[in-house]
Amino acid sequence: MEYSQTSQTTDRIVGVGNRLISAIELQANNQKEHQKAVEESSKSQNKHQKSIVALTVVIALSTVIYTGVTVWSTLLLHNQVPTEQTVSEN
């Protein structure tokens, strides 16, 4: 009887150990999948950030060019007004 109880206890311990090993392996697999997802997300975010930086640079350059053209055209217009007044006076 004693051998049977010891055998049953050993079998239970082995069963618990096997379930524990399975749970650890499952956790390790889940962690690997999570790490892959994080790496893919990181790559995607990096590409997105580069796109945003590029668009920001384009917008900034466009603003500078627009401002330059506006200032230039305003100066031309301002310089023409006295010339037109002088021509009108003559």
Side-chain angles (χ1 to χ4, degrees), residues 24-40:
I24 291 170
E25 288 174 347
L26 179 63
Q27 182 66 27
N29 287 337
N30 287 343
Q31 186 171 354
K32 286 178 186 177
E33 289 175 11
H34 178 71
Q35 183 63 30
K36 286 180 185 177
V38 167
E39 288 173 2
E40 289 176 10

Side-chain angles (χ1 to χ4, degrees), residues 1-11:
M1 193 77 176
E2 203 171 292
Y3 174 77
S4 175
Q5 287 178 340
T6 304
S7 177
Q8 288 175 354
T9 302
T10 303
D11 289 344

Side-chain angles (χ1 to χ4, degrees), residues 3 21 23 62 80 84:
Y3 174 77
I21 289 170
S62 298
Q80 285 180 353
E84 288 178 5

Side-chain angles (χ1 to χ4, degrees), residues 39-81:
E39 288 173 2
E40 289 176 10
S41 176
S42 176
K43 289 177 184 177
S44 175
Q45 185 177 12
N46 188 24
K47 288 180 183 179
H48 185 73
Q49 287 174 342
K50 287 179 181 179
S51 297
I52 289 174
V53 168
L55 288 173
T56 303
V57 168
V58 167
I59 290 170
L61 289 174
S62 298
T63 302
V64 168
I65 292 169
Y66 175 79
T67 303
V69 168
T70 303
V71 168
W72 179 70
S73 66
T74 303
L75 287 173
L76 283 178
L77 188 61
H78 179 71
N79 290 337
Q80 285 180 353
V81 169

Side-chain angles (χ1 to χ4, degrees), residues 80-90:
Q80 285 180 353
V81 169
T83 306
E84 288 178 5
Q85 286 178 354
T86 306
V87 170
S88 298
E89 291 174 359
N90 290 332

